[in-house]
Amino acid sequence: MKILFTLMTCLMVCGVSFAQNLPQITGKVIDEKAVAVPFAIVRLLNFPDTSVVKTVATNLDGAYEMNQLKEGTYILSVSIVGYKTKKTDKFLLNGNLNIPAITLQSLTKQLNEVSVSGKKPFVEHQIDKTVLNIENSIVSSGSTALELLEKAPGVQVDKQNEQILLNNKSGVMVMIDGKNNFLSGADLAVYLGSLNSSQIATIEIITNPSSKYDAAGNAGIINIKLKKNKAFGTNGSISSTYRNALMANLPRNIYGSDLNFNINNRNKKWNFYSNANASKNNNFSNLLLERNTNSGGLQSAFNQNFKKIYTGSRLAAKLGADYYASEKTTIGIMLDGNTSTRKLDNFSQTFINEVQSGVTSNNSLILNSDANTPNKNYSANFNVKHEFKKEGASLNFDADYSGFDYTGLENFNTNFFNEAGTIYNQTIIKNDSKTNIDIFAAKADFTWPISKTTKLETGLKTSFVKTDNNFLSSAFLNNNWQNIAGQSNHFIYKENVNAAYANLSKDLGKFQIQAGLRAEYTNATGALITNNTASDQKYLSLFPTVFVNQKISESSNLRYTYGRRIDRPNYQQLNPFNFYMDPYTIQQGNPYLKPQFTNNFEVSYSYKSGLSFSLGYSKIKDLILDSKTAQNDSTRIVTVGQGNIGSGEYYSAGLYFPLAVTKWWNLQNNFNLFYNKFNDNNLEGAPFALSKVSYNFNITSSITLSHNWTIETNFWLNSPKVRGLEKTIIYQYALNTGVQKSFLNKTLKFKLNVDDIFATNYWKGTLNYQNVNLRVQNNYINRRASFNISYNFGNQNVKSARSRNTATDDIKNRAGG
């Protein structure tokens, strides 16, 4: 690390010695009401030939900045969907220049009393990412973050395995405001299920991040940006949502509610911001499972029915401040925490048809179980940003601490019935678990423009993680609780990752090139305290990235990207405990899981910031999947566990095009085609190969009517597919629609939304390998109606708090289960 730090320091000093001060252009884009217009495309054009010199997009404050420019005569062109393109008069650039605010005119027209006003589309494709504009979307109102992702192009929510897929690949890094959220698996699903759309401004989907980002997440990054406030003063917002299921034969109280409040105050030296949220989310699922066993002449057919009722609540709060110590230096601190409770009531009935020596018998069992899992998360961030005198040069530093406390108490009461319906056996089991996770991390990022066409980015990072998992499984025998041998355990996992990266970008006119390299050294130890065994992993990994943007014409571009990434197992996957589901079903952790490595390649074409087409290929080594699923035919117990598959290959093609049917009706269309291929020469003692072509599409329609009425409709479909050993055998699809009415100059909004109108979003699949032949159907509740009311108060042009990329970006989503 000392060598890397010395190298970075040398690069900084060398850069200072020969850097030049070149002209810069800054400015802001606003609409007719002087409200900032974010995500507008600003092009710098040569005069008089109007060739494009540079293109940038405005930020959330409507501001833009162009650095390292040649002196000369130029004009600016500004465009965005829903507004008339605006060009400035010609101007002479011979030094730093601040352009007066550019005002865009919305495309508003009266047609038979139908009023049309432009707004950002729900799906917006940018050069390096896809953006979902949630804040003004009606079809998103009342939805949770998990439901919003179902409507995102290229994203699939696998509720069966509680995973998020991007371009049909698992291993997505989910970030909140540029920092990871610490959770994965079931806990991530619970968190995203409690995060309401009223808290979300945009969702960014980045399929191939640069070396500046942490290397974790083989499928890419999904960054959920929460709402922020936009010049000096105070403003805020308050919103509330109520949602309920619209399905027959459901338990009572399957509903959700949300109350969200945020406020921001900004003056010349300080910016204070805070947010508070309270939510409740109840749900229900019905899992059907069939399988067969054959051992010693005994043939058994299992038919299992699990009915699960989930009730949960969450309280969250965030408090932060930025101090503007000087024009160039900002110091910030942020504290946030949340506490949640989740209760599961499970009723399951298993019918077992047995045939031995031609004699048939039918036994059954009934399981009543419940689980209470209160969780607490808390974190603190200290950050400093300094901008040097040289334009575009900056240094950022972050230090973080995060802590998690997970506790759980599960009770299982099982009655076994013979063919006559008489109880012949009973088991009572309880599981007590406690998990503590501590994460410390620090990072520094340095940016230095070497010349007008060349920029260097470099940085260092270190992180330390300790997870302490204590699991006690007991059975009630002879009127006493007794420890179950082989089930209870104490597992401690420690991990240290040190990283360094460098990115060099070069503008060659028609080609813009960026090449980077990230190095990460991992030192990890997992210790089973109960039986005094340990496993160690130490490895150095290199992650190169290459981006080439080719300008074909003023309106079209080709982009070529390559990147290597890693997915380390999350902490609960490494936990070797046996988690009891019922007497015949056990979930097991694997402390010997290896990280999976991915090489991603993509070529994409874009035309006029609208139509885009992409081709992608990914090769994953040591793919982490539910590959250790095994069945013991003699005990008839099936064990579900994760392991490494030799390799997975993913081919993809994507087409996106917006369509303006009329001035008041717009469509966003996204189509994807996939081919997945999985191979392992020796998976659980036998060769394995499986492949399949699949596809999905996502269409969003937006209609703007008079008197501030808006209607949106969204339809998505996923075809059958394969993922490792698992096959999805049905089409999953959903139709969602919503309507919005605005009052009081659009500060007060009412939204009504219905998701999954035809109740078609459920999962059905199989898992067949060696002696395992599972057939599964999972019916979860997706048809819901929600009503949302929101009110914005104060000065809505208050500048936002800075969005921080904290030091724990690559490790936070590996906590939890």
Side-chain angles (χ1 to χ4, degrees):
M1 292 298 291
K2 290 183 178 179
I3 296 174
L4 291 170
F5 183 78
T6 303
L7 176 62
M8 190 177 77
T9 305
C10 177
L11 289 170
M12 293 167 60
V13 173
C14 293
V16 173
S17 64
F18 59 80
Q20 306 174 15
N21 290 322
L22 293 169
Q24 173 194 54
I25 293 176
T26 57
K28 187 172 184 178
V29 178
I30 59 176
D31 63 15
E32 306 100 314
K33 298 180 180 179
V35 175
V37 178
F39 309 116
I41 304 301
V42 183
R43 295 181 175 88
L44 181 66
L45 310 178
N46 270 319
F47 185 84
D49 64 5
T50 68
S51 60
V52 179
V53 177
K54 181 167 286 192
T55 302
V56 298
T58 58
N59 61 18
L60 288 173
D61 300 324
Y64 63 90
E65 181 179 300
M66 296 180 176
N67 298 311
Q68 308 301 312
L69 301 173
K70 292 181 180 180
E71 294 183 352
T73 303
Y74 301 99
I75 59 176
L76 287 176
S77 173
V78 184
S79 61
I80 188 174
V81 175
Y83 292 85
K84 296 180 181 178
T85 299
K86 178 70 174 288
K87 289 186 178 181
T88 66
D89 295 332
K90 67 177 181 179
F91 57 88
L92 177 65
L93 180 67
N94 55 12
N96 291 343
L97 181 64
N98 182 262
I99 303 292
I102 299 173
T103 302
L104 298 183
Q105 299 293 322
S106 62
L107 296 172
T108 303
K109 187 176 182 180
Q110 296 291 333
L111 289 176
N112 297 324
E113 297 189 358
V114 176
S115 174
V116 183
S117 57
K119 69 181 182 74
K120 294 190 295 295
F122 176 62
V123 179
E124 185 175 7
H125 287 261
Q126 299 183 10
I127 189 170
D128 58 345
K129 59 194 170 188
T130 299
V131 179
L132 270 63
N133 296 301
I134 305 300
E135 196 163 6
N136 295 316
S137 171
I138 295 89
V139 77
S140 301
S141 66
S143 300
T144 67
L146 200 62
E147 292 163 340
L148 291 176
L149 290 175
E150 285 185 316
K151 304 167 187 174
V155 179
Q156 300 173 53
V157 177
D158 181 1
K159 293 185 177 180
Q160 170 65 19
N161 297 292
E162 297 180 310
Q163 288 189 335
I164 296 170
L165 307 179
L166 181 55
N167 286 340
N168 231 17
K169 294 182 293 182
S170 60
V172 180
M173 181 194 291
V174 178
M175 305 168 73
I176 307 295
D177 279 338
K179 67 172 184 175
N180 217 298
N181 62 87
F182 289 83
L183 304 175
S184 63
D187 289 324
L188 177 60
V190 171
Y191 173 76
L192 294 177
S194 67
L195 187 62
N196 195 273
S197 60
S198 61
Q199 300 170 256
I200 301 172
T202 60
I203 297 177
E204 298 177 340
I205 302 170
I206 309 170
T207 56
N208 204 0
S210 72
S211 296
K212 184 175 181 178
Y213 290 92
D214 296 298
N218 81 86
I221 292 173
I222 294 177
N223 183 28
I224 300 174
K225 287 191 171 184
L226 303 182
K227 289 183 179 178
K228 295 182 175 68
N229 305 306
K230 305 174 185 178
F232 300 139
T234 300
N235 77 355
S237 66
I238 185 169
S239 65
S240 180
T241 300
Y242 176 80
R243 56 206 300 265
N244 210 336
L246 298 176
M247 300 187 74
N249 302 319
L250 288 179
R252 292 184 176 182
N253 301 324
I254 304 302
Y255 70 94
S257 59
D258 175 87
L259 179 64
N260 188 69
F261 175 79
N262 73 78
I263 191 166
N264 191 90
N265 178 266
R266 172 78 183 268
N267 57 43
K268 290 183 177 180
K269 280 293 184 181
W270 288 94
N271 185 64
F272 297 96
Y273 54 94
S274 64
N275 175 274
N277 175 263
S279 62
K280 188 173 183 64
N281 191 33
N282 299 343
N283 214 326
F284 172 79
S285 70
N286 185 197
L287 177 67
L288 307 173
L289 189 150
E290 297 177 359
R291 62 187 177 92
N292 299 304
T293 65
N294 190 346
S295 177
L298 175 63
Q299 297 178 350
S300 303
F302 283 75
N303 191 320
Q304 298 174 274
N305 186 342
F306 297 84
K307 295 183 178 180
K308 301 180 179 182
I309 302 173
Y310 303 89
T311 57
S313 60
R314 179 175 179 268
L315 296 173
K318 176 183 290 187
L319 179 65
D322 290 324
Y323 173 64
Y324 303 93
S326 68
E327 184 180 350
K328 298 291 186 179
T329 303
T330 305
I331 302 171
I333 187 171
M334 182 174 64
L335 306 171
D336 65 70
N338 67 75
T339 178
S340 63
T341 59
R342 194 187 195 206
K343 189 175 187 299
L344 167 64
D345 291 299
N346 176 36
F347 171 83
S348 70
Q349 192 167 15
T350 300
F351 296 95
I352 309 172
N353 177 270
E354 300 173 339
V355 179
Q356 188 167 33
S357 302
V359 178
T360 300
S361 61
N362 292 282
N363 297 323
S364 63
L365 63 90
I366 292 179
L367 169 67
N368 285 283
S369 65
D370 62 79
N372 284 288
T373 54
N375 300 325
K376 294 179 181 178
N377 310 355
Y378 37 87
S379 62
N381 167 259
F382 172 76
N383 56 81
V384 179
K385 179 179 181 180
H386 178 72
E387 297 178 347
F388 297 94
K389 290 183 179 180
K390 181 178 179 60
E391 293 294 338
S394 65
L395 178 66
N396 288 272
F397 173 78
D398 282 90
D400 287 82
Y401 166 75
S402 296
F404 299 84
D405 291 323
Y406 299 99
T407 59
L409 176 61
E410 300 174 290
N411 298 290
F412 302 88
N413 189 333
T414 308
N415 291 318
F416 297 79
F417 297 84
N418 59 23
E419 194 167 21
T422 303
I423 296 176
Y424 68 88
N425 189 24
Q426 182 184 47
T427 61
I428 301 175
I429 295 174
K430 70 174 181 179
N431 293 334
D432 289 287
S433 61
K434 185 171 180 60
T435 299
N436 294 315
I437 302 177
D438 292 294
I439 301 174
F440 299 88
K443 70 169 185 173
D445 298 293
F446 175 71
T447 302
W448 191 266
I450 296 175
S451 70
K452 62 182 179 180
T453 59
T454 308
K455 182 175 69 173
L456 172 70
E457 296 175 292
T458 186
L460 298 170
K461 177 182 175 181
T462 185
S463 64
F464 299 87
V465 179
K466 179 183 178 182
T467 73
D468 190 327
N469 306 271
N470 210 335
F471 186 83
L472 178 63
S473 186
S474 307
F476 193 70
L477 300 171
N478 300 321
N479 294 319
N480 288 301
W481 287 105
Q482 299 180 23
N483 182 40
I484 302 177
Q487 296 289 341
S488 302
N489 218 321
H490 188 189
F491 177 66
I492 295 177
Y493 178 80
K494 296 179 180 179
E495 180 184 271
N496 170 225
V497 179
N498 295 308
Y501 76 89
N503 272 336
L504 191 66
S505 56
K506 180 74 173 178
D507 190 338
L508 299 174
K510 288 187 175 294
F511 288 88
Q512 293 83 44
I513 301 173
Q514 181 190 107
L517 180 65
R518 186 178 187 90
E520 294 188 353
Y521 179 74
T522 303
N523 185 354
T525 301
L528 281 167
I529 307 302
T530 308
N531 58 9
N532 196 29
T533 60
S535 60
D536 295 329
Q537 293 189 53
K538 296 181 181 180
Y539 51 93
L540 174 67
S541 306
L542 299 179
F543 303 97
T545 57
V546 179
F547 299 83
V548 178
N549 189 68
Q550 178 186 0
K551 182 176 177 58
I552 300 174
S553 66
E554 184 178 346
S555 56
S556 61
N557 291 272
L558 268 173
R559 189 167 182 259
Y560 315 86
T561 66
Y562 163 73
R564 185 172 188 257
R565 300 188 66 76
I566 186 175
D567 258 307
R568 300 177 180 89
N570 74 59
Y571 309 127
Q572 292 298 73
Q573 289 174 326
L574 295 167
N575 189 337
F577 301 162
N578 289 331
F579 295 93
Y580 183 91
M581 299 172 67
D582 72 16
Y584 293 102
T585 312
I586 293 175
Q587 187 172 2
Q588 188 178 58
N590 182 3
Y592 302 103
L593 271 177
K594 296 182 290 185
Q596 63 182 30
F597 291 88
T598 305
N599 288 291
N600 292 316
F601 301 85
E602 187 176 57
V603 178
S604 59
Y605 170 81
S606 61
Y607 179 72
K608 288 187 175 180
S609 301
L611 182 145
S612 65
F613 177 73
S614 64
L615 295 172
Y617 170 74
S618 297
K619 177 84 177 275
I620 303 178
K621 179 184 177 183
D622 295 324
L623 180 63
I624 299 174
L625 288 174
D626 288 334
S627 59
K628 293 188 73 64
T629 299
Q631 183 172 271
N632 186 321
D633 285 339
S634 61
T635 64
R636 302 187 295 185
I637 294 176
V638 62
T639 302
V640 180
Q642 293 201 314
N644 295 102
I645 286 182
S647 68
E649 294 182 78
Y650 297 80
Y651 300 81
S652 65
L655 173 66
Y656 167 80
F657 62 94
L659 179 63
V661 182
T662 69
K663 292 290 185 180
W664 48 269
W665 183 13
N666 289 280
L667 295 174
Q668 308 288 324
N669 308 284
N670 198 90
F671 300 87
N672 294 283
L673 181 68
F674 308 106
Y675 174 64
N676 293 358
K677 182 180 178 182
F678 304 94
N679 288 284
D680 196 300
N681 293 328
N682 185 18
L683 181 64
E684 298 297 307
F688 170 76
L690 190 65
S691 63
K692 187 175 179 63
V693 174
S694 61
Y695 59 90
N696 73 6
F697 61 86
N698 192 313
I699 300 173
T700 299
S701 167
S702 180
I703 298 175
T704 305
L705 305 175
S706 60
H707 307 296
N708 294 323
W709 284 94
T710 311
I711 300 173
E712 285 188 0
T713 302
N714 169 265
F715 179 79
W716 60 264
L717 178 143
N718 297 326
S719 75
K721 61 179 182 291
V722 298
R723 183 176 171 271
L725 305 178
E726 181 185 277
K727 295 181 180 179
T728 302
I729 61 174
I730 62 169
Y731 287 86
Q732 292 177 276
Y733 56 97
L735 177 65
N736 318 287
T737 189
V739 61
Q740 173 183 282
K741 170 67 173 174
S742 301
F743 301 90
L744 302 179
N745 198 26
K746 297 186 179 182
T747 59
L748 178 65
K749 295 179 181 179
F750 293 90
K751 301 176 184 179
L752 178 64
N753 188 62
V754 179
D755 280 339
D756 194 14
I757 294 174
F758 299 108
T760 50
N761 183 15
Y762 65 97
W763 188 85
K764 190 173 184 179
T766 63
L767 192 155
N768 295 305
Y769 184 65
Q770 297 189 39
N771 68 327
V772 179
N773 59 346
L774 294 175
R775 298 170 299 282
V776 185
Q777 179 169 323
N778 197 346
N779 301 299
Y780 29 77
I781 304 306
N782 283 296
R783 185 164 66 185
R784 295 176 181 269
S786 61
F787 177 73
N788 172 267
I789 180 172
S790 62
Y791 177 68
N792 296 326
F793 59 88
N795 177 10
Q796 292 302 306
N797 291 318
V798 176
K799 292 179 180 176
S800 66
R802 296 179 301 138
S803 177
R804 301 299 304 153
N805 294 319
T806 68
T808 45
D809 285 354
D810 65 333
I811 51 180
K812 294 180 182 177
N813 75 327
R814 295 170 55 215

